[in-house]
Amino acid sequence: MRFLIFLVAAVMTLASCATQPDGPRLGSDGKPLPKLYRIRAADEGRIQYEMLDSVNALRQAAGAAPVQLNAQLNAASATHSRDMSNQNRPWHFGSDGSSPIDRVRRVGYTGMMLGENISETYESELETLSAWMEQPDTRDVILDRRALNMGFAWYQESNGKIWWTLIMGG
């Protein structure tokens, strides 16, 4: 009898561990729920260079020269990403009223600020880049033929939301 009870308990335990069916989980609207993209501190360099390589591949396909990562533009991007999170809204103006041009000057960048792309999402950097390329205004920033430098950074909240900023300079 004890063996039978043990066997039933073991089967019930295993049944509760069964995996869910493959495929995306769906929200109440029937659309797939976003998969949380968690960024670790150790991923910073990899993500920035993957984005740089991807941007340069897109630029090459469009006949534009490659750009280089710029530490000053990275700093301006990081500052703005965190500030957007603090304001809880994606927009181009800082909480102090600063414009993208102001932020680029503050970090000591002496070139011309050509454009800034921003995003509030749970998606990866490459999914975000793809979304930017679908819109004419943000695509134009990425493919601007005058660009020589790129800054790219993000801020991820504890809930997983990511605030991305990409700045092109010439």
Side-chain angles (χ1 to χ4, degrees):
M1 185 64 163
R2 283 187 185 171
F3 179 74
L4 184 58
I5 293 173
F6 174 75
L7 185 60
V8 169
V11 169
M12 289 176 59
T13 302
L14 288 175
S16 69
C17 294
T19 60
Q20 295 193 5
D22 289 341
R25 292 183 25 215
L26 301 179
S28 60
D29 59 0
K31 295 182 181 177
L33 293 172
K35 181 180 175 191
L36 183 62
Y37 179 68
R38 185 64 67 182
I39 300 173
R40 298 173 299 136
D43 295 332
E44 181 175 357
R46 178 190 58 79
I47 289 172
Q48 283 182 319
Y49 281 101
E50 280 181 4
M51 179 62 93
L52 177 66
D53 290 345
S54 298
V55 164
N56 280 333
L58 293 165
R59 290 178 60 81
Q60 181 180 12
V67 293
Q68 296 180 353
L69 275 178
N70 178 277
Q72 294 163 321
L73 295 180
N74 285 345
S77 296
T79 298
H80 190 56
S81 293
R82 182 178 281 276
D83 190 45
M84 286 189 296
S85 171
N86 289 336
Q87 295 181 71
N88 196 32
R89 64 178 168 180
W91 73 325
H92 293 284
F93 293 94
S95 56
D96 62 356
S98 62
S99 71
I101 294 171
D102 297 330
R103 290 189 297 276
V104 165
R105 286 186 184 141
R106 283 182 191 163
V107 296
Y109 185 72
T110 57
M112 180 180 6
M113 199 287 299
L114 299 172
E116 177 183 73
N117 289 347
I118 58 173
S119 180
E120 165 197 18
T121 184
Y122 291 90
E123 296 178 325
S124 73
E125 64 280 358
L126 298 181
E127 290 168 311
T128 301
L129 177 59
S130 177
W132 285 336
M133 290 300 289
E134 291 175 8
Q135 300 300 317
D137 56 339
T138 51
R139 180 177 50 245
D140 289 348
V141 169
I142 293 165
L143 301 180
D144 191 323
R145 292 179 182 273
R146 299 171 296 166
L148 302 171
N149 304 117
M150 180 181 94
F152 179 68
W154 60 90
Y155 176 75
Q156 186 166 35
E157 296 177 358
S158 60
N159 66 5
K161 184 188 291 184
I162 307 169
W163 301 83
W164 300 104
T165 304
L166 178 142
I167 299 174
M168 295 299 236

